[in-house]
Amino acid sequence: MREYGDADSRWCVALSGGPDSLALTAVAAKLKPTTALIVDHRLQAGSDQVATIAREQALALGCVDAQVLCVDVGTEGGPEAAARTARYRALDAARGDAPALLAHTLDDQAETVLLGLGRGSGARSIAGMRPHDPPWYRPLLGVRRAVTHAACDELNLTPWQDPHNLDRRFTRTRLRNEVLPLLEDVLGGGVAEALARTAAALREDSEALDELAARELADVSVADGLDTARLIKLPEAVRRRVIRGWLLAGGASALTDKQIRGVDALVTAWRGQGGVAVGSPLRSRRLIAGRRGGMLTLHSEPV
């Protein structure tokens, strides 16, 4: 784990109080000055007590500081996505310039891959989480969840057991407790590791295509947008990545595979159709990708 943020004199660790993040905090605090960041989503009764206990545990483990971050969780994208958005925003604001360690395990990676498969979100989603995605680092991404539980037992640590992890209303909970065990049984074991290997292989391919797309984006860009005549000559996988990079550079966010393919159709299946609304942080306006005069263009309109 020493290679994570080696150039930095300190780091932060996201601590929920659960076994994964508690085990990570125990190791991190022994290697480098560590600040524990504890996000209180305030979605459950007694969450403030859970956060206080986690803070006390962090300091007892040798963290130089432990901060409780209270957040307001919205509703956009559903409860799981909204909580994740609020959590990352709070962690990013509190970490300063230090790298942040996240306690995602190999089991979390397997669940993420299954979610991407089920939603048809494209290769980028199936490629899962990156071990290094500055400022976020996931040193446990190759470690099974059972190992972190065993580490807590060995260190005599009492982790918090999140009741949401047993709540069947949450998709990830059902994947964890129902779907993955069934797959392990039907396929004879090793499914989580196989899904993680699949993610790693797809991530390598995706990163290579992203590099190629970045070079092509410079070639097809013109003053008013993208040249569709040049775009259409590119291989599909590269072309859609060029479009994605262009949209992001233009202010788009939270892009879906469906939106990118919709913009791609403006190039490959042009019939004079209207523009495509894409993900954007704008509240009073929406971002529209359209086609005009052989060019892909990007503009905003009032909602």
Side-chain angles (χ1 to χ4, degrees):
M1 203 171 87
R2 293 180 183 276
E3 71 272 18
Y4 290 80
D6 250 0
D8 300 276
S9 60
R10 60 187 184 90
W11 52 27
C12 296
V13 60
L15 174 61
S16 69
D20 300 336
S21 62
L22 199 56
L24 176 59
T25 301
V27 175
K30 294 185 183 303
L31 297 177
K32 190 178 291 189
T34 299
T35 296
L37 300 176
I38 302 129
V39 178
D40 181 1
H41 298 86
R42 298 188 286 190
L43 295 175
Q44 302 177 44
S47 64
D48 56 336
Q49 297 175 9
V50 173
T52 297
I53 292 171
R55 182 178 184 278
E56 293 170 351
Q57 289 176 311
L59 295 173
L61 288 169
C63 287
V64 296
D65 190 16
Q67 304 173 22
V68 175
L69 313 173
C70 295
V71 299
D72 294 317
V73 177
T75 59
E76 187 174 353
E80 293 172 279
R84 182 170 57 252
T85 297
R87 179 168 59 253
Y88 273 87
R89 185 180 294 122
L91 291 171
D92 196 30
R95 68 176 182 83
D97 58 355
L101 307 183
L102 307 177
H104 295 118
T105 65
L106 185 146
D107 299 80
D108 294 309
Q109 183 76 301
E111 294 160 12
T112 299
V113 174
L114 279 180
L115 281 170
L117 282 169
R119 292 170 176 166
S121 304
R124 192 177 302 277
S125 177
I126 301 170
M129 297 174 283
R130 294 179 176 178
H132 310 86
D133 190 18
W136 314 111
Y137 295 86
R138 300 177 176 89
L140 302 183
L141 209 53
V143 176
R144 293 301 304 265
R145 191 173 287 138
V147 174
T148 64
H149 287 238
C152 288
D153 290 341
E154 185 174 333
L155 295 170
N156 293 316
L157 299 174
T158 303
W160 173 56
Q161 302 299 333
D162 186 352
H164 279 174
N165 289 336
L166 298 175
D167 192 332
R168 296 181 76 256
R169 292 177 300 170
F170 299 109
T171 303
R172 189 176 283 269
T173 295
R174 298 195 67 183
L175 282 176
R176 180 176 304 168
N177 298 323
E178 300 175 30
V179 177
L180 270 169
L182 179 60
L183 286 173
E184 294 280 357
D185 180 48
V186 171
L187 298 177
V191 171
E193 290 87 351
L195 289 169
R197 288 196 302 272
T198 297
L202 277 171
R203 194 161 53 250
E204 291 171 357
D205 293 348
S206 185
E207 288 173 355
L209 285 169
D210 284 345
E211 290 180 9
L212 178 59
R215 294 196 293 269
E216 294 292 352
L217 176 57
D219 290 337
V220 302
S221 294
V222 292
D224 298 323
L226 297 183
D227 186 338
T228 58
R230 297 180 189 176
L231 269 176
I232 201 167
K233 296 177 182 179
L234 298 176
E236 290 184 15
V238 176
R239 185 176 62 247
R240 286 198 292 272
R241 281 171 168 80
V242 168
I243 290 171
R244 179 179 182 272
W246 171 67
L247 290 172
L248 291 174
S253 64
L255 291 169
T256 66
D257 186 63
K258 182 178 180 180
Q259 290 170 345
I260 294 171
R261 289 179 182 273
V263 178
D264 188 44
L266 298 176
V267 179
T268 62
W270 174 242
R271 301 182 304 277
Q273 66 265 39
V276 177
V278 297
S280 165
L282 303 175
R283 294 190 179 275
S284 60
R285 303 182 67 84
R286 60 178 184 166
L287 204 56
I288 306 292
R291 175 166 171 163
R292 184 177 68 248
M295 303 292 173
L296 283 186
T297 62
L298 195 60
H299 67 280
S300 64
E301 297 178 353
V303 174

